[in-house]
Amino acid sequence: RHWNVSIGHAVSRDLWRWEPVDDALAPAGRGAWDDFTTWTGSVVPFGDRWAMLYTGGCHVEDGKVQRVGVAWSDDLSHWERSDRPVLEADPRYYEVLDGSPWYEQAWRDPWAFFDADDGHFHVFVTARTPVGEADGRGVIGHARSRDLVSWEVLPPVTEPIGFGHLEVPQLVSLDDRWYLLFCSDTETQSPARRRLGAGTGTYYLVADDRYGPYRMIGDGALEADPAGSTYAGRIHRSGDGTPWFLAWNRAAPDGSFLGELGDPRRVHVAPDGSLRLERVPLP
């Protein structure tokens, strides 16, 4: 499935009932920088348009080198992509592909946001540091831009904490704290991290400032289990400000593949900053 993927699109008024519409973006024609993969990204408003930052890979490199591109839309339905990537890993701060110790050049899943304090757009991305044990180098990379085309790559906002990669990051503010969600599968965690026993799924870090320093509460798992039942969780606020957790149902109890969007769960924040999910009946 990783090599046969487009960026889909669905519409909902309540987060429970969804209507699929035409896909937003698919791999480009042969020879383009993103002719093999169009993977996870995020959408932000830019003036009177929308911008989608997304992950791309090409056949020439067997999809092993990940880069970030941008596509533009007036209506969230029709997208025009750039003809080149706009953001790549900087070897000063991040691991690049050299055949070892990792199987890919991780630079994907851009989560974009605008910071009014410095007048820049920022992205947090799945990345790896160039030093340390192979299965513990995962970090959240960072870059900023004024126009979403020219970027300054910055040092990571997290330290290595025993994950091979921290996938599909999301930054969200809840109760005067900043939460950094990410996903991990057991197979890419360090032995010490695996011994904590949380498993595969969505984790989170918490900080007082959006750029860190970040800390983990307990094992850091928001929703994880040995089977990897869910993955790629995100928090979304409804119109009244209530935070809801949406995740991809990845595997059935018997381990068979599902690949569907699950029902939202209510997010509760405890006094110590820890998060808890509550299942709510279909409205």
Side-chain angles (χ1 to χ4, degrees), residues 163 165-169 180-189 193 197-204 216 219-234 245-251 265 277:
F163 295 93
H165 49 215
L166 285 67
E167 296 193 287
V168 201
L180 184 53
L181 275 64
F182 66 93
C183 296
S184 172
D185 56 274
T186 305
E187 292 77 9
T188 61
Q189 297 171 10
R193 175 61 57 184
T200 294
T202 301
Y203 291 75
Y204 68 96
M216 182 172 279
D219 64 10
L222 181 55
E223 186 171 74
D225 60 37
S229 302
T230 66
Y231 208 72
R234 294 279 174 89
F245 178 76
L246 283 164
W248 173 45
N249 290 339
R250 187 168 88 161
R265 268 73 55 73
L277 302 179

Side-chain angles (χ1 to χ4, degrees), residues 101-159:
W102 205 244
Y103 59 91
E104 63 181 2
Q105 181 172 307
W107 191 255
R108 64 181 180 276
D109 309 335
W111 177 261
F113 60 93
F114 182 73
D115 185 348
D117 291 337
D118 69 2
H120 284 81
F121 289 91
H122 292 252
V123 292
F124 288 172
V125 300
T126 295
R128 288 169 50 84
T129 62
V131 296
E133 294 296 323
D135 53 11
R137 293 188 182 187
V139 293
I140 299 297
H142 183 200
R144 66 180 180 181
S145 172
R146 292 192 181 276
D147 60 7
L148 300 178
V149 175
S150 299
W151 290 87
E152 176 189 5
V153 179
L154 302 170
V157 295
T158 66
E159 298 290 334

Side-chain angles (χ1 to χ4, degrees), residues 34-58:
D34 56 351
D35 67 357
F36 199 4
T37 63
T38 46
W39 288 346
T40 311
S42 58
V43 175
V44 291
F46 186 87
D48 58 357
R49 294 193 295 170
W50 299 90
M52 182 200 312
L53 292 166
Y54 68 97
T55 312
C58 63

